[in-house]
């Protein structure tokens, strides 16, 4: 192996011709372009998922009133909208943006190589992902319309045609999810093998930036947990279409089997999306506070610990589902135990701030708000993990508020943090800082105004997945209706502020001030490439001499020490 | 053929990238089959009727197919040995023999065993045992067919001494397909 | 907290479930506020100041690690306390099936989209000719132990009585047993808490907790006659 490898000057044997539009934007095998494909698809899906949230929240706040831009949200429409909202946000926003977009963009750049190990497989993974998007959207337009049985697809509602209204929609929904799983299994091949095998010379295990570790561990968690659900999805497709009865009790099947297969994946899945977000936050916090990561190895060990434990908690989603009540005791113990490595991770991040020199720019505001809001998500999980309390809180808005206080920081705050931080590298321009701050404050304040009240509603007994509470006198108290309206108005506010981001993004993309290579004075390798990096990333691939977090190292005049600088 | 990026040629983890990738694929398949077979075992343990339904599978056919797969795996090993020694034509010959084993396996299953069972009235929707039988054996058979196709792509290039390392990789995958069958055979054919 | 939110505790175990909720609430509120306070303090104290560089703190020294491991153990201790009470209540409500000489059985049959309740008539035995069957309305006697048997005719449903703090999924093909003892009279919501199709929000029921005399009068009026009552609006 050469000591200073030169990235292939002519990898496609094309001579000196420039790639055409199709080859550059639609058929590329370059990891950076594939990252953009995932990112823009994910962001577009976020607009759809957000629109759905708008429609069903309007129905809750103003029942029976036509929703502007949509029409009447009656019982079936409501169930369809909440089903699609949940599935879209997790599978088609959080995963593609946090794992596939940031993973594809960052891994080769941060470990110092020229692309992913299997570029054509990488391209194929996006294409399968895009196919899953097409299948999902197609399901909205077929006879019977979109599937309406919640993103969890519990049978027999989801498998027996006579119980639901959308047999074809239900099948397409399962197919879309299965395709998405296949796409990410393929993507995982690249993430893990590239990070393990293609590191720059000199980059030892503990010199790898935390975000890379996080994406690798997330890929492993995904792979190890999704298998049983893929088997389950095949079983569900057969139940829906071939007359089998894996989950149909009339013919000897067991609906609870589906639940176990689903949640065995479903719980690790939340850590699959959490870890990349935490990784993004780690990179930003260290750079913006000019501090070494506090106890880097502890971060790794808590990550591994969380990953392992995440396989042992799944049935806390099923405490009152009809499982053997004795089993619930095991799972309540493991669930409360998992709060410990997560708490430790949060403490370590907070400790990193100690002794820092903190700049509160837009990426840092997002990263810090991740911690502040995720803490709320984490502690409210304890209410639900305590089996005795979950008897009351299951299927109420308390659960919904809890998981939005975890998912929103992960998928939305994590994304905004990563995008505002790496935008200069991705697009070669700087975003507008003032607009960034306006967007931040509007979003964060509105977000809390939406979901804190929902904890109260949940504790008052308001159940999920109900399009109209008028048949439940206990829930028609004016105070509770007003809280729902307050939450919906806050959502409208939050959605409006996203216009600021969209404008900032689009305007900066074309007219933003040109970005230097390293606008944040960061140590990691991606900032030594051009903004944006060319095909092959560097003319000469870098060599690494130290870890990524040598900030404020004593005895140096600069307060940072890039990984690739020999002295 | 476009050249691979430099990333593909590095081996910081001490293992060639292709092999690392195949192990990753095998690991994900283990979890898929694990989930399916785990569900089957749970059902089997809680439904006594399964034993009665399972009595109707053809153990002799199952045994023959096991022999076929094991023999084909032997050829895969010989092919790997030849590839390591740099003997492309020999490696290709053994790959073709391995693929032949896969074709025989699929031929017996789809050409005789399943049509016979369906004619007797044992279809995928007859009862949960048969649902599992066709699903598990079917997904396995799909992996056999996929393996054969990949071998037929690798073998011609190997014969001309190109990409000999791929002989080992497809061999690894093939051994995994074999191992899955080693689990399926007792579960579906022997435990009666 | 439930009182403040305005949900009465109408079953014998409601206050125990509320206790777990309150316990978790105060412990987590304490931790949350403390952590957020430290967090915001550090942001403020170590904001960028001209001429003041960052410090080189690795977090690998024992004196530094202590700041993490000590809170970490405290979290563990609080978790154990919460676990103790959670498991205790769980056992009481879900694993245990108390017996009483005058216990009442009620069959709860869920379907798309209505609740049917079957209770013994004057002969005191269930599944006999004089059983009282009601639709979407469950009459029970206060201070009496009830065993319920949940069944579903089609998909998953969930029998949820918020004022009892009770919730249990109903699975087709199985009969699931549980219990409650009402401790105050009144007319309250029963909800389905597992999405069951287009009518999931349209299958409310009422639980009407009556005194001994009221209940006896209701039984006398209704035995041998199946009563379909209009859903209370």
């Amino acid at each position: 192996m050469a000591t200073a490898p030169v990235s292939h000057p002519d990898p496609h044997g094309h001579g000196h011709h420039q790639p055409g539009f199709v080859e550059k934007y639609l058929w590329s095998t370059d990891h950076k372009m594939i990252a953009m494909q995932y990112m823009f698809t994910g962001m577009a899906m976020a607009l759809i998922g957000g629109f759905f949230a708008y429609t069903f929240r309007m129905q809750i706040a103003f029942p029976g009133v036509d929703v502007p831009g949509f029409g009447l949200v009656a019982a079936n429409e409501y169930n369809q909208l909440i089903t699609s909202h949940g599935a879209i946000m997790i599978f088609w926003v959080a995963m593609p943006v946090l794992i596939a977009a940031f993973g594809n963009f960052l891994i080769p750049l941060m470990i110092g190589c020229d692309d992913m190990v299997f570029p054509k497989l990488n391209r194929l993974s996006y294409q399968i992902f895009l196919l899953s998007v097409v299948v999902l959207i197609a399901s909205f337009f077929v006879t019977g319309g979109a599937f309406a049985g919640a993103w969890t697809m519990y049978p027999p509602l989801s498998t027996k045609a006579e119980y639901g209204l959308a047999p074809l929609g239900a099948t397409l929904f399962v197919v879309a999810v299965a395709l998405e799983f296949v796409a990410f299994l393929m993507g995982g091949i690249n993430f893990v093998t590239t990070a393990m095998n293609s590191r720059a010379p000199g980059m030892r295990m503990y010199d790898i930036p935390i975000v890379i570790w996080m994406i690798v561990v997330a890929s492993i968690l995904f792979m190890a947990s999704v298998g049983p659900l893929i088997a389950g999805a095949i079983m569900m497709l057969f139940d829906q279409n071939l007359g089998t009865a894996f989950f149909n009790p009339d013919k000897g099947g067991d609906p609870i089997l589906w639940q176990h297969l689903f949640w065995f994946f479903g719980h690790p899945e939340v850590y699959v999306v959490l870890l990349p977000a935490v990784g993004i936050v780690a990179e930003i916090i260290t750079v913006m506070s000019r501090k070494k990561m506090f106890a880097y190895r502890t971060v790794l060990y808590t990550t591994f610990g969380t990953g392992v434990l995440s396989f042992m908690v799944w049935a806390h989603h099923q405490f009152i589902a009809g499982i053997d009540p004795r089993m619930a005791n095991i799972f309540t113990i493991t669930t409360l135990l998992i709060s410990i490595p997560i708490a430790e991770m949060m403490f370590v991040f907070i400790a990193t701030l100690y002794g820092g020199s903190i700049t509160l720019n837009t990426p840092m505001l997002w990263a810090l708000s991740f911690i502040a809001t995720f803490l709320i998500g984490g502690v409210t999980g304890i209410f639900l993990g305590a089996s005795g309390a979950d008897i009351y809180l299951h299927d109420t808005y308390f659960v919904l508020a809890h998981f939005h206080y975890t998912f929103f920081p992960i998928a939305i705050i994590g994304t905004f943090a990563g995008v505002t931080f790496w935008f200069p590298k991705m697009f070669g321009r700087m975003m507008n800082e003032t607009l960034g701050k306006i967007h931040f404050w509007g979003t964060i304040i509105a977000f809390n105004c939406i979901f804190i009240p929902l904890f109260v509603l949940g504790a008052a007994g308001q159940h999920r997945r109900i399009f109209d509470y008028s048949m439940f006198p206990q829930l028609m108290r004016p105070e509770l209706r007003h809280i729902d309206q307050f939450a919906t108005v806050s959502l409208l506010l939050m959605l409006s502020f996203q216009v600021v981001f969209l404008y900032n993004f689009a305007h900066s993309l074309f007219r933003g001030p040109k970005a230097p290579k390293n606008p944040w004075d960061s140590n990691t390798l991606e900032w030594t490439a051009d903004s944006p990096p060319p095909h092959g990333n560097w003319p000469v691939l870098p060599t690494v001499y130290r870890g990524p977090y040598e900030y404020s190292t004593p005895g140096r005049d600069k307060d940072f020490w890039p990984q690739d600088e020999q002295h | 053929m476009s050249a691979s990026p430099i990333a593909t040629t590095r081996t910081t983890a001490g293992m060639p990238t292709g092999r690392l990738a195949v192990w990753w694929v095998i690991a994900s398949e283990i979890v898929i089959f694990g989930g399916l077979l785990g569900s089957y075992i749970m059902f089997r343990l809680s439904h006594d009727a399964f034993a009665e339904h399972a009595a109707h599978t053809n153990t002799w056919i199952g045994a023959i197919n096991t022999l076929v797969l094991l023999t084909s795996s032997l050829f895969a090993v010989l092919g790997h040995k030849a590839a390591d020694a740099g003997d492309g034509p020999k490696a290709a010959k053994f790959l073709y023999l391995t693929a032949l084993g896969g074709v025989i396996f699929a031929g017996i299953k789809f050409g005789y065993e399943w049509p016979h069972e369906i004619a007797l009235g044992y279809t995928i929707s007859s009862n949960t045992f048969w649902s599992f039988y066709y699903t598990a054996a079917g997904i396995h058979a799909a992996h056999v067919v996929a393996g054969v196709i990949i071998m037929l792509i690798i073998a011609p290039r190997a014969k001309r001494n190109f990409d000999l390392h791929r002989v080992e990789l497809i061999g690894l995958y093939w051994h995994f397909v074999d191992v899955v069958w080693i689990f399926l055979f007792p579960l579906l054919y022997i435990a009666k | 907290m439930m009182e403040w939110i305005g949900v009465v505790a109408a079953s014998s175990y409601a206050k125990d479930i509320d206790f777990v909720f309150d316990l978790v609430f105060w412990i987590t509120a304490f931790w949350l506020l403390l952590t957020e306070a430290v967090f915001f303090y550090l942001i403020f104290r170590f904001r960028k100041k001209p001429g003041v560089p960052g410090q080189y703190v690795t977090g690998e020294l024992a004196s530094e690690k202590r700041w993490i491991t000590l809170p970490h153990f405290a979290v563990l201790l609080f978790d154990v306390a919460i676990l103790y009470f959670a498991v205790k209540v769980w056992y009481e409500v879900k694993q245990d099936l108390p017996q009483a000489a005058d216990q009442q059985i009620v069959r709860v049959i869920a379907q798309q989209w209505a609740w049917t309740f079957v209770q013994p008539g004057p002969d005191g035995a269930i599944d006999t000719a004089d059983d009282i069957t009601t639709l979407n309305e469950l009459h029970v006697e206060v201070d009496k132990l009830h065993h319920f048997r949940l069944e579903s005719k089609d998909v998953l449903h969930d029998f949820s009585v918020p004022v009892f703090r009770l919730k249990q999924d109903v699975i087709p093909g199985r009969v699931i047993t549980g219990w409650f003892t009402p401790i105050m009279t009144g007319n309250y919501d029963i909800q389905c808490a597992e999405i069951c199709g287009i009518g999931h929000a349209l299958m409310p029921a009422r639980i009407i907790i009556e005194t001994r005399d009221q209940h006896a009068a209701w039984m006398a009026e209704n035995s041998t006659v199946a009563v379909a009552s209009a859903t209370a609006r």
Side-chain angles (χ1 to χ4, degrees), chain A residues 355-480:
Chain A
S357 171
I358 299 171
T359 302
L360 290 176
N361 55 19
T362 302
M364 186 57 159
L365 287 172
W366 285 116
L368 292 174
S369 69
F370 173 88
I371 296 180
T373 49
F374 189 77
L375 280 173
I376 298 178
V379 301
T380 50
I382 310 250
F383 288 84
L384 303 170
S387 51
D390 187 65
I391 301 173
Y392 177 62
L393 295 171
H394 172 79
D395 199 66
T396 64
Y397 269 63
F398 199 96
V399 178
L400 194 138
H402 157 72
F403 67 68
H404 279 87
Y405 261 97
T406 48
F407 270 122
F408 187 95
I410 289 169
I412 309 295
I413 296 180
T415 297
F416 287 139
V419 168
T420 53
F421 184 62
W422 276 294
F423 188 96
K425 185 55 56 185
M426 288 176 177
F427 303 110
R429 296 188 184 258
M430 302 300 288
M431 290 184 88
N432 182 292
E433 185 58 24
T434 307
L435 292 179
K437 289 198 166 98
I438 293 173
H439 170 237
F440 168 76
W441 287 110
T443 305
I444 276 294
I445 293 174
F447 163 70
N448 284 288
C449 289
I450 299 171
F451 290 104
I452 294 281
L454 296 189
F455 283 117
V456 177
L457 290 178
Q462 184 165 312
H463 283 54
R464 296 169 68 180
R465 302 164 173 170
I466 303 275
F467 82 110
D468 187 330
Y469 291 102
S470 57
M471 306 187 99
F472 301 100
Q474 280 173 245
L475 298 176
M476 291 306 286
R477 285 159 51 198
E479 314 84 83
L480 301 182

Side-chain angles (χ1 to χ4, degrees), chain B residues 90-137:
Chain B
K90 198 161 170 207
K93 183 184 85 183
F94 281 123
L95 263 190
Y96 283 122
L97 284 170
T98 313
L100 182 63
V103 170
I104 293 175
F105 177 92
I108 293 176
K109 184 171 289 293
F110 296 135
Y112 174 73
E113 187 185 22
W114 283 15
H116 185 68
E117 281 161 350
I118 290 170
L120 284 176
Y122 303 125
T123 63
I124 196 172
S125 52
S126 295
N127 57 55
T128 330
F129 167 78
W130 288 102
S131 301
F132 269 108
Y133 172 86
Y134 284 109
T135 304

Side-chain angles (χ1 to χ4, degrees), chain A residues 322 329 355 392 394 474 550, chain C residues 36 55-56 95 167 174 189:
Chain A
N329 296 316
Y392 177 62
H394 172 79
Q474 280 173 245
E550 291 303 309
Chain C
E36 301 270 12
Q55 298 173 29
Y56 192 76
Q95 282 180 246
K167 193 164 290 154
R174 309 230 305 235
D189 293 352

